[in-house]
Amino acid sequence: MTKTFTMELAGRTLRVDVGRVAAQANGAAFIQYGETTVLSTATASEKPREGIDFFPLSVEFEEKLYSVGKIPGGFNKREGKASENSVLTARVIDRPMRPLFPKDYRNDVTLNNMVMSVDPEARPELVAMLGAAISTCISDIPFDGPCAMTQVGMVDGEFIINPSQAQWDNGDLKLTVASTAQKVIMIEAGANEIPEDKMIEAIYKAHDVNQTIIAFINQMVAEVGKPKHSYTSCAIPEEMFAEMRKIVTPEEMEEAVFTDQKQVREENIRQVTEKFEEAFADKEDWLEVLGEAVYQYQKKTVRKMILKDHKRPDGRRIDQIRPLSAEVDLIPRVHGSAMFTRGQTQICDVVTLAPLSEVQKVDGLDENITVKRYMHHYNFPSYSVGETKPSRGPGRREIGHGALAERALIPVLPSTEEFPYAIRAVSETFESNGSTSMASTCASCMALMAAGVPIKKMVAGISCGLVTGEIDDDYIVLTDIQGLEDFFGDMDFKVTGTKDGITAIQMDIKIHGLTRPIVEEAIRRTREARFFIMDECMSKAISAPRESVGKYAPKIIQIQIDPAKIGDVVGQRGKTINEIIERTGVKIDITDEGNVSVCGTDKEKMDEAVEMIKIITTDFEQGQIFTGKVVSIKEFGAFIEFAPGKEGMVHISKISKERIEHVEDVLTLGDVVKVVCLGKDKMGRISFSIKDVK
């Protein structure tokens, strides 16, 4: 039986059909917002997965190109692997929903969101976010919802709730906020230097809208929601914890974790674990969950140290940043490099510059975005955390971290008119112990400046953590969290920006939301910290972009030609432009507007190519002087090529001041001569003279 629910949301109708399709899923919602259509399903396995100590949640965002009337490109006409946008959207859906599932739930859960139609006025990512929440809430899967998500854009200083795709792409703010009925649970933002107060205002405007959506979801749950099914709890037995505290006292566990050296702490915990293994040798059921039990014992110890005693595992103050260092130019021959170190987190970033022809082509659902000029890639090898495993390419985490650092720096990049390069930054993680994405932002900013990219302002980033007690007012915000504080804490609140405002936010939490005072304090703390990082570390390594690109980077000369002359430069089947490239070894890009970029490393060859293009696109006037090569000799004269694909004729009478009987008496094929333009002859050909050159 189909049940339809509707609500008005930001000027459009949100329609949800339940029971119409996908009846065998635990929960399914067929959603239309405007004309954007998404099928969201929530499915759980009947039994828990054995041998794991985590909740196996999988979130998918499937971009079907038929939704925008496209057939996939390439030889394979099926959709390929998930695009970067699909991965990032799935992560944004996952992050607020994961904390709302029971911590002791081990059944596999898949949230699938399939985009079937796209209306440019209603972004499919938003519809999928709402669909995932709705399908889970009305299903029988245990879930402490509802939660809802709202997006906020900003155009001309005005906030726009759930903006169209064009407003989202071209505005000054891209903010996504997820909320429960009481608190904000997730924030994701990219911004064009939005002041902190303005960002907080936007966050809570979205939070207010979320409350109307939650009321709508509650109505659906009341009418068509299924009773939540029971499940096998994987919680650690309390009597096991009691025995563990006898074997290793809380004081001994505190001593084991209280160190600023990750390797020392891991060795201490290994020895502690061995004690438990010996003591529980005859209790197989306890040994099966010992890893999770030790993790929880550490967690309780660290949280108590921080919350009650105001002691951090490495001995720092609550607002203290770990030791910082920065340097540039550590990698020779690359176009730009920098290394940023914060405690045991170390990132080396390398920047590569290339002509605009090497921008990344994007084939997705957003018709406004077809190319990507700035590419930020993040790598996380196993040695950075002292582990050994083969590299299998970037996973969702790597893609997400790269996208966050990319989003942080885009607002300060020069335009293509100011700096006509494609730019790739690669962050290599040398060592990791918390917030490598924020270290990537700092390292990338310095590497861009070292490469001579004229960024408008310096950008830095830092992460704040959180430990909460039993009541809302019992909490501590931690500046610059290390890995242990991230694992055992409640929040990872990352903020990047300049001294004038925020450029990106990514907030993940493990609890059921944050109060407004926590959000405001975290944003204030990150502002103070990034100012400190810029002033005390980054600026001392490099304070401003270099005035020019390095000697190994390609150089680019830009000229403007009449768009009507583009065909002359390209030539028939590309013959002319290819000949210029072959002669000079440069790369040439031409836009439809007639903007020509000549790229190379040899200045003389670049100037030669520019001169050829100027000659080809010049309307020839009497008196102009050219240098050309004799390419053909006839009885009546010689043909001179003065630019690729461009020839003029010198009549035999215009070759020499003395009378000559044969052209060959003076000229031979391949001679380079100077000629003066006499205009066009009766046949419309360009006529030259050698003897009249002054």
Side-chain angles (χ1 to χ4, degrees), residues 135-216:
S135 61
T136 306
C137 286
I138 63 175
S139 75
D140 61 345
I141 302 171
F143 183 70
D144 194 12
C147 65
M149 290 166 236
T150 293
Q151 294 187 322
V152 182
M154 189 170 77
V155 177
D156 297 329
E158 297 295 323
F159 292 133
I160 300 172
I161 300 299
N162 296 345
S164 68
Q165 191 66 62
Q167 291 168 329
W168 181 262
D169 292 334
N170 301 319
D172 292 321
L173 177 63
K174 299 177 180 179
L175 171 67
T176 301
V177 177
S179 309
T180 62
Q182 292 80 31
K183 301 173 184 176
V184 170
I185 195 169
M186 191 279 300
I187 302 169
E188 177 100 354
N192 189 13
E193 295 185 277
I194 301 293
E196 281 75 6
D197 290 345
K198 192 80 170 175
M199 183 66 78
I200 291 170
E201 180 186 349
I203 290 169
Y204 281 92
K205 185 176 284 288
H207 178 65
D208 291 342
V209 175
N210 281 337
Q211 302 314 303
T212 65
I213 301 171
I214 287 171
F216 177 60

Coordinates of all heavy atoms in Angstrom, one line a residue, residues 135-216:
S135 N 14.5 6.9 5.1 CA 14.4 5.4 4.9 C 14.8 4.7 6.1 O 14.3 3.6 6.5 CB 15.1 5.0 3.7 OG 16.5 5.3 3.8
T136 N 15.8 5.2 6.8 CA 16.3 4.5 8.0 C 15.3 4.7 9.2 O 15.0 3.8 9.9 CB 17.7 5.1 8.5 OG1 18.6 5.0 7.3 CG2 18.2 4.3 9.6
C137 N 14.7 5.9 9.3 CA 13.8 6.2 10.4 C 12.5 5.3 10.3 O 12.0 4.8 11.3 CB 13.4 7.6 10.4 SG 14.7 8.7 11.1
I138 N 12.0 5.1 9.1 CA 10.8 4.3 8.9 C 11.0 2.8 8.9 O 10.1 2.1 8.9 CB 10.0 4.8 7.7 CG1 10.8 4.5 6.4 CG2 9.6 6.3 7.8 CD1 10.0 4.8 5.1
S139 N 12.3 2.4 8.8 CA 12.6 1.0 8.8 C 12.6 0.4 10.2 O 12.4 1.1 11.2 CB 14.0 0.8 8.2 OG 15.0 1.2 9.1
D140 N 12.8 -0.9 10.2 CA 12.9 -1.6 11.5 C 14.3 -1.7 12.1 O 14.6 -2.4 13.0 CB 12.3 -3.0 11.4 CG 13.1 -3.9 10.4 OD1 13.8 -3.4 9.6 OD2 12.9 -5.1 10.4
I141 N 15.2 -1.0 11.4 CA 16.6 -1.0 11.9 C 16.8 -0.1 13.1 O 16.3 1.1 13.1 CB 17.6 -0.5 10.7 CG1 17.4 -1.4 9.5 CG2 19.0 -0.5 11.2 CD1 18.1 -0.8 8.3
P142 N 17.4 -0.5 14.2 CA 17.6 0.3 15.4 C 18.3 1.6 15.0 O 19.4 1.6 14.4 CB 18.4 -0.5 16.3 CG 18.2 -1.9 15.9 CD 18.0 -1.9 14.4
F143 N 17.7 2.7 15.4 CA 18.3 4.0 15.0 C 17.7 5.1 15.9 O 16.5 5.2 16.0 CB 18.0 4.3 13.5 CG 18.5 5.6 13.0 CD1 19.9 5.7 12.7 CD2 17.7 6.7 12.6 CE1 20.5 6.9 12.2 CE2 18.3 7.9 12.1 CZ 19.6 8.0 11.9
D144 N 18.6 5.9 16.5 CA 18.1 6.9 17.4 C 17.9 8.3 16.7 O 18.5 9.3 17.1 CB 19.2 7.1 18.6 CG 18.6 7.8 19.8 OD1 17.4 8.1 19.8 OD2 19.4 8.2 20.6
G145 N 17.1 8.2 15.7 CA 16.8 9.5 14.9 C 15.5 10.1 15.4 O 15.0 9.7 16.5
P146 N 14.9 10.9 14.6 CA 15.4 11.3 13.3 C 16.5 12.3 13.3 O 16.7 13.0 14.3 CB 14.1 11.8 12.6 CG 13.1 12.1 13.7 CD 13.6 11.5 14.9
C147 N 17.1 12.4 12.1 CA 18.0 13.6 11.9 C 17.6 14.1 10.5 O 17.0 13.5 9.7 CB 19.5 13.1 11.9 SG 20.0 12.0 10.6
A148 N 18.0 15.4 10.3 CA 17.7 16.0 9.0 C 18.9 16.9 8.6 O 19.7 17.2 9.4 CB 16.4 16.9 9.2
M149 N 18.9 17.2 7.3 CA 20.0 18.0 6.8 C 19.5 19.1 5.9 O 18.5 18.9 5.1 CB 20.9 17.1 5.9 CG 21.7 16.1 6.8 SD 22.5 14.8 5.9 CE 21.8 13.4 6.7
T150 N 20.2 20.3 6.0 CA 19.8 21.4 5.2 C 21.1 22.0 4.6 O 22.1 22.0 5.3 CB 19.1 22.5 6.1 OG1 17.8 21.9 6.5 CG2 18.9 23.8 5.3
Q151 N 21.0 22.6 3.4 CA 22.1 23.2 2.8 C 21.9 24.7 2.7 O 20.7 25.2 2.5 CB 22.4 22.7 1.4 CG 22.9 21.2 1.5 CD 23.3 20.7 0.1 OE1 22.7 21.0 -0.9 NE2 24.4 19.9 0.1
V152 N 22.9 25.5 2.9 CA 22.8 27.0 2.9 C 23.8 27.5 1.9 O 25.0 27.2 2.0 CB 23.0 27.6 4.3 CG1 22.8 29.1 4.2 CG2 22.0 27.0 5.3
G153 N 23.4 28.4 1.0 CA 24.3 29.1 0.1 C 24.2 30.6 0.5 O 23.4 31.0 1.3
M154 N 25.1 31.4 -0.2 CA 25.0 32.8 0.1 C 25.4 33.5 -1.2 O 26.4 33.3 -1.8 CB 26.0 33.2 1.2 CG 25.8 34.7 1.6 SD 26.8 35.1 3.1 CE 28.4 35.3 2.4
V155 N 24.5 34.4 -1.7 CA 24.7 35.2 -2.9 C 24.4 36.6 -2.5 O 23.4 37.0 -1.9 CB 23.7 34.7 -4.0 CG1 23.9 35.6 -5.2 CG2 24.0 33.3 -4.4
D156 N 25.4 37.5 -2.8 CA 25.3 39.0 -2.5 C 25.0 39.2 -1.1 O 24.2 40.1 -0.7 CB 24.2 39.6 -3.4 CG 24.5 39.6 -4.9 OD1 25.7 39.6 -5.2 OD2 23.6 39.5 -5.7
G157 N 25.6 38.4 -0.2 CA 25.5 38.6 1.2 C 24.2 38.0 1.9 O 24.0 38.1 3.1
E158 N 23.3 37.4 1.0 CA 22.1 36.9 1.5 C 22.1 35.4 1.6 O 22.5 34.7 0.6 CB 20.9 37.4 0.7 CG 20.7 38.9 0.6 CD 20.3 39.4 2.0 OE1 19.5 38.7 2.7 OE2 20.7 40.5 2.3
F159 N 21.6 34.8 2.7 CA 21.6 33.3 2.8 C 20.5 32.8 1.9 O 19.4 33.4 1.8 CB 21.3 32.9 4.2 CG 22.5 33.2 5.2 CD1 22.3 33.8 6.4 CD2 23.8 32.9 4.8 CE1 23.3 34.1 7.3 CE2 24.9 33.2 5.7 CZ 24.6 33.8 6.9
I160 N 20.7 31.6 1.3 CA 19.7 30.9 0.5 C 19.6 29.5 1.0 O 20.6 28.8 1.1 CB 20.1 30.9 -1.0 CG1 20.2 32.4 -1.5 CG2 19.1 30.1 -1.8 CD1 20.8 32.4 -2.9
I161 N 18.4 29.1 1.5 CA 18.2 27.8 2.0 C 18.0 26.8 0.8 O 17.2 27.1 -0.1 CB 16.9 27.7 2.9 CG1 17.1 28.7 4.1 CG2 16.7 26.3 3.4 CD1 18.3 28.3 5.0
N162 N 18.7 25.7 0.8 CA 18.6 24.7 -0.2 C 18.8 25.4 -1.6 O 17.8 25.3 -2.4 CB 17.4 23.9 -0.1 CG 17.3 23.1 1.2 OD1 18.3 22.9 1.8 ND2 16.2 22.6 1.5
P163 N 19.9 26.0 -1.9 CA 20.1 26.7 -3.2 C 20.0 25.8 -4.4 O 20.2 24.6 -4.3 CB 21.5 27.4 -3.0 CG 22.2 26.5 -2.1 CD 21.2 26.0 -1.1
S164 N 19.8 26.4 -5.5 CA 19.9 25.7 -6.8 C 21.3 25.4 -7.1 O 22.2 25.8 -6.4 CB 19.3 26.6 -7.9 OG 20.2 27.7 -8.2
Q165 N 21.5 24.5 -8.1 CA 22.9 24.1 -8.4 C 23.8 25.3 -8.8 O 24.9 25.4 -8.4 CB 22.9 23.1 -9.5 CG 24.3 22.4 -9.7 CD 24.7 21.6 -8.6 OE1 24.0 20.6 -8.2 NE2 25.8 21.9 -7.9
A166 N 23.2 26.2 -9.6 CA 24.0 27.4 -10.0 C 24.3 28.3 -8.8 O 25.4 28.8 -8.7 CB 23.2 28.2 -11.0
Q167 N 23.3 28.5 -7.9 CA 23.6 29.3 -6.7 C 24.6 28.7 -5.8 O 25.5 29.4 -5.2 CB 22.3 29.5 -5.9 CG 21.3 30.4 -6.6 CD 19.9 30.4 -6.0 OE1 19.5 29.3 -5.4 NE2 19.2 31.4 -6.1
W168 N 24.6 27.4 -5.7 CA 25.6 26.6 -4.9 C 27.0 26.7 -5.5 O 27.9 27.0 -4.8 CB 25.1 25.2 -4.9 CG 26.0 24.2 -4.1 CD1 27.0 23.4 -4.6 CD2 26.0 24.0 -2.7 NE1 27.5 22.7 -3.5 CE2 26.9 23.0 -2.4 CE3 25.2 24.5 -1.6 CZ2 27.2 22.6 -1.1 CZ3 25.4 24.1 -0.3 CH2 26.4 23.1 -0.1
D169 N 27.1 26.6 -6.8 CA 28.4 26.6 -7.5 C 29.0 28.0 -7.5 O 30.2 28.2 -7.4 CB 28.3 26.2 -9.0 CG 28.0 24.7 -9.0 OD1 28.3 23.9 -8.1 OD2 27.4 24.3 -10.1
N170 N 28.2 29.1 -7.6 CA 28.7 30.4 -7.8 C 28.6 31.3 -6.6 O 29.1 32.4 -6.6 CB 27.9 31.1 -9.0 CG 28.1 30.3 -10.3 OD1 29.2 29.8 -10.6 ND2 27.0 30.2 -11.0
G171 N 28.0 30.8 -5.5 CA 27.9 31.7 -4.3 C 29.1 31.7 -3.5 O 30.1 31.0 -3.8
D172 N 29.0 32.4 -2.4 CA 30.2 32.5 -1.5 C 30.2 31.5 -0.3 O 31.1 31.5 0.5 CB 30.2 33.9 -0.9 CG 30.5 35.0 -1.9 OD1 31.4 34.7 -2.8 OD2 29.9 36.1 -1.9
L173 N 29.2 30.6 -0.3 CA 29.1 29.7 0.8 C 28.4 28.4 0.3 O 27.5 28.4 -0.4 CB 28.2 30.3 2.0 CG 27.9 29.4 3.2 CD1 29.2 29.0 3.9 CD2 26.9 30.0 4.1
K174 N 29.0 27.3 0.8 CA 28.5 25.9 0.5 C 28.5 25.2 1.9 O 29.4 24.6 2.3 CB 29.3 25.1 -0.5 CG 29.4 25.8 -1.8 CD 30.4 25.0 -2.7 CE 30.5 25.6 -4.1 NZ 31.4 24.8 -5.0
L175 N 27.3 25.3 2.6 CA 27.2 24.8 3.9 C 26.2 23.7 4.0 O 25.0 23.9 3.5 CB 26.9 26.0 4.9 CG 26.5 25.6 6.3 CD1 27.7 25.0 7.1 CD2 25.9 26.8 7.1
T176 N 26.5 22.6 4.6 CA 25.6 21.5 4.9 C 25.6 21.3 6.4 O 26.7 21.1 7.0 CB 26.0 20.2 4.2 OG1 26.0 20.5 2.8 CG2 25.0 19.1 4.5
V177 N 24.4 21.3 7.0 CA 24.3 21.1 8.4 C 23.3 20.0 8.7 O 22.2 20.0 8.2 CB 23.8 22.4 9.1 CG1 23.6 22.2 10.6 CG2 24.8 23.5 8.9
A178 N 23.7 19.0 9.5 CA 22.7 18.0 10.0 C 22.4 18.2 11.5 O 23.3 18.6 12.2 CB 23.4 16.6 9.7
S179 N 21.2 17.9 11.8 CA 20.7 18.1 13.2 C 19.9 17.0 13.7 O 19.2 16.3 12.9 CB 19.9 19.4 13.3 OG 20.6 20.5 12.8
T180 N 19.9 16.7 15.0 CA 18.8 16.0 15.6 C 17.8 17.0 16.1 O 17.9 18.2 15.8 CB 19.4 15.1 16.8 OG1 19.9 16.1 17.8 CG2 20.5 14.2 16.3
A181 N 16.8 16.5 16.9 CA 15.8 17.4 17.4 C 16.3 18.4 18.4 O 15.7 19.5 18.6 CB 14.6 16.6 18.0
Q182 N 17.5 18.1 18.9 CA 18.0 19.0 20.0 C 19.3 19.8 19.5 O 19.5 20.9 19.8 CB 18.4 18.2 21.3 CG 17.2 17.7 22.0 CD 16.7 16.4 21.4 OE1 17.4 15.6 20.8 NE2 15.4 16.2 21.5
K183 N 20.2 19.1 18.7 CA 21.5 19.6 18.6 C 22.0 19.5 17.1 O 21.5 18.7 16.4 CB 22.5 18.9 19.5 CG 22.2 19.0 21.0 CD 23.1 18.1 21.8 CE 22.7 18.2 23.3 NZ 23.5 17.2 24.1
V184 N 23.0 20.3 16.8 CA 23.7 20.1 15.5 C 24.6 18.9 15.6 O 25.3 18.7 16.6 CB 24.6 21.3 15.2 CG1 25.5 21.1 14.1 CG2 23.7 22.5 15.0
I185 N 24.6 18.0 14.6 CA 25.4 16.8 14.7 C 26.5 16.7 13.6 O 27.4 15.9 13.7 CB 24.4 15.6 14.6 CG1 25.1 14.3 15.0 CG2 23.8 15.4 13.2 CD1 24.2 13.1 15.2
M186 N 26.4 17.5 12.5 CA 27.4 17.5 11.5 C 27.4 18.8 10.7 O 26.4 19.4 10.5 CB 27.2 16.4 10.5 CG 28.3 16.0 9.5 SD 28.4 17.1 8.1 CE 26.8 16.9 7.3
I187 N 28.7 19.3 10.4 CA 28.8 20.5 9.6 C 29.8 20.3 8.6 O 30.9 19.7 8.8 CB 29.3 21.7 10.5 CG1 28.3 22.0 11.7 CG2 29.5 23.0 9.7 CD1 28.9 23.0 12.7
E188 N 29.5 20.7 7.3 CA 30.5 20.6 6.2 C 30.3 21.9 5.5 O 29.2 22.3 5.1 CB 30.1 19.4 5.3 CG 31.0 19.3 4.1 CD 32.1 18.3 4.2 OE1 32.2 17.7 5.3 OE2 32.8 18.0 3.2
A189 N 31.5 22.6 5.2 CA 31.4 23.9 4.6 C 32.6 24.2 3.8 O 33.7 23.8 4.1 CB 31.2 25.0 5.7
G190 N 32.3 24.9 2.7 CA 33.3 25.6 1.9 C 32.9 27.1 1.8 O 31.7 27.3 1.6
A191 N 33.8 28.0 2.0 CA 33.3 29.4 2.1 C 34.4 30.3 1.5 O 35.6 30.0 1.5 CB 33.0 29.8 3.5
N192 N 33.9 31.5 1.0 CA 34.8 32.5 0.5 C 35.1 33.5 1.6 O 34.6 34.6 1.6 CB 34.1 33.2 -0.7 CG 35.1 34.1 -1.4 OD1 36.3 34.1 -1.2 ND2 34.5 34.9 -2.3
E193 N 35.9 33.1 2.6 CA 36.3 33.9 3.7 C 35.1 34.5 4.4 O 35.0 35.7 4.6 CB 37.3 35.0 3.3 CG 38.6 34.5 2.7 CD 39.6 35.6 2.4 OE1 39.4 36.2 1.3 OE2 40.4 36.0 3.2
I194 N 34.3 33.6 4.9 CA 33.1 34.1 5.7 C 33.5 34.3 7.1 O 34.1 33.5 7.8 CB 32.0 33.0 5.7 CG1 31.6 32.7 4.2 CG2 30.8 33.4 6.5 CD1 30.9 33.8 3.5
P195 N 33.2 35.5 7.7 CA 33.5 35.8 9.1 C 32.9 34.7 10.0 O 31.8 34.2 9.7 CB 33.0 37.2 9.3 CG 32.9 37.8 8.0 CD 32.6 36.7 7.0
E196 N 33.5 34.5 11.2 CA 33.1 33.5 12.1 C 31.6 33.7 12.6 O 30.8 32.8 12.6 CB 34.0 33.4 13.3 CG 35.3 32.7 13.1 CD 36.3 33.4 12.3 OE1 36.1 34.6 12.0 OE2 37.4 32.8 11.9
D197 N 31.3 34.9 12.9 CA 29.9 35.2 13.4 C 28.9 34.9 12.3 O 27.8 34.4 12.6 CB 29.8 36.7 13.8 CG 30.6 37.0 15.1 OD1 30.9 36.0 15.8 OD2 30.8 38.1 15.4
K198 N 29.2 35.3 11.0 CA 28.3 35.0 9.9 C 28.1 33.5 9.7 O 27.0 33.0 9.4 CB 28.9 35.7 8.7 CG 27.9 35.7 7.5 CD 26.9 36.9 7.6 CE 26.1 37.1 6.3 NZ 25.1 38.1 6.5
M199 N 29.2 32.7 9.9 CA 29.1 31.3 9.7 C 28.2 30.7 10.8 O 27.4 29.8 10.5 CB 30.5 30.7 9.8 CG 30.6 29.2 9.5 SD 30.1 28.7 7.9 CE 31.5 29.0 6.9
I200 N 28.4 31.1 12.0 CA 27.6 30.6 13.1 C 26.1 30.9 12.8 O 25.2 30.1 13.1 CB 28.0 31.2 14.5 CG1 29.4 30.6 14.8 CG2 27.0 30.9 15.6 CD1 30.1 31.3 16.0
E201 N 25.8 32.1 12.3 CA 24.5 32.5 12.0 C 23.9 31.5 10.9 O 22.7 31.1 11.0 CB 24.4 33.9 11.5 CG 23.0 34.4 11.1 CD 23.0 35.8 10.4 OE1 24.1 36.5 10.5 OE2 22.0 36.2 9.9
A202 N 24.7 31.2 9.9 CA 24.2 30.3 8.9 C 24.0 28.9 9.4 O 23.0 28.2 9.0 CB 25.2 30.3 7.7
I203 N 24.9 28.4 10.3 CA 24.7 27.1 10.8 C 23.4 27.0 11.6 O 22.7 26.0 11.4 CB 25.9 26.8 11.8 CG1 27.2 26.6 11.0 CG2 25.6 25.5 12.6 CD1 28.5 26.6 11.8
Y204 N 23.1 28.0 12.4 CA 21.8 27.8 13.2 C 20.6 28.2 12.4 O 19.5 27.8 12.8 CB 22.0 28.6 14.5 CG 22.8 27.7 15.4 CD1 24.2 27.8 15.5 CD2 22.2 26.7 16.1 CE1 25.0 27.0 16.2 CE2 23.0 25.8 16.9 CZ 24.3 26.0 17.0 OH 25.1 25.1 17.7
K205 N 20.7 28.9 11.3 CA 19.6 29.1 10.4 C 19.2 27.7 9.8 O 18.1 27.3 9.7 CB 19.9 30.1 9.3 CG 18.8 30.4 8.4 CD 19.1 31.5 7.4 CE 19.2 32.9 8.0 NZ 17.8 33.4 8.3
A206 N 20.3 26.9 9.4 CA 20.0 25.6 8.9 C 19.5 24.7 9.9 O 18.6 23.9 9.7 CB 21.3 25.0 8.3
H207 N 20.0 24.8 11.2 CA 19.5 24.0 12.3 C 18.0 24.2 12.5 O 17.2 23.3 12.8 CB 20.3 24.3 13.5 CG 19.8 23.6 14.8 ND1 19.9 22.2 14.9 CD2 19.2 24.0 15.9 CE1 19.5 21.9 16.1 NE2 19.0 22.9 16.7
D208 N 17.5 25.5 12.4 CA 16.1 25.8 12.6 C 15.3 25.1 11.5 O 14.2 24.6 11.7 CB 15.9 27.3 12.5 CG 16.5 28.0 13.8 OD1 16.7 27.3 14.8 OD2 16.7 29.2 13.7
V209 N 15.8 25.1 10.2 CA 15.0 24.5 9.1 C 15.0 23.0 9.4 O 13.9 22.3 9.1 CB 15.7 24.8 7.8 CG1 15.0 24.0 6.6 CG2 15.7 26.3 7.5
N210 N 16.0 22.4 9.9 CA 16.1 21.0 10.2 C 15.0 20.6 11.1 O 14.4 19.4 11.0 CB 17.4 20.6 10.7 CG 18.5 20.4 9.7 OD1 18.2 20.2 8.5 ND2 19.8 20.6 10.1
Q211 N 14.6 21.4 12.0 CA 13.5 21.1 13.0 C 12.2 20.9 12.3 O 11.4 20.0 12.7 CB 13.4 22.1 14.1 CG 14.7 22.4 14.9 CD 15.4 21.1 15.3 OE1 14.8 20.3 16.0 NE2 16.6 20.9 14.9
T212 N 11.9 21.6 11.2 CA 10.7 21.4 10.5 C 10.7 20.1 9.7 O 9.7 19.4 9.6 CB 10.4 22.6 9.5 OG1 11.4 22.6 8.5 CG2 10.5 23.9 10.2
I213 N 11.9 19.7 9.2 CA 12.0 18.4 8.5 C 11.8 17.3 9.5 O 11.2 16.3 9.2 CB 13.3 18.4 7.8 CG1 13.5 19.5 6.8 CG2 13.5 17.0 7.1 CD1 14.8 19.7 6.2
I214 N 12.4 17.4 10.7 CA 12.3 16.4 11.7 C 10.9 16.1 12.1 O 10.4 15.0 12.3 CB 13.2 16.7 12.9 CG1 14.7 16.5 12.5 CG2 12.8 15.9 14.1 CD1 15.7 17.0 13.6
A215 N 10.1 17.2 12.2 CA 8.7 17.1 12.5 C 8.0 16.3 11.4 O 7.1 15.5 11.7 CB 8.0 18.5 12.7
F216 N 8.4 16.6 10.2 CA 7.8 15.9 9.0 C 8.1 14.4 9.0 O 7.3 13.5 8.8 CB 8.3 16.5 7.7 CG 7.9 15.9 6.4 CD1 6.6 15.8 6.1 CD2 8.9 15.4 5.5 CE1 6.2 15.2 4.9 CE2 8.5 14.8 4.3 CZ 7.2 14.7 4.0

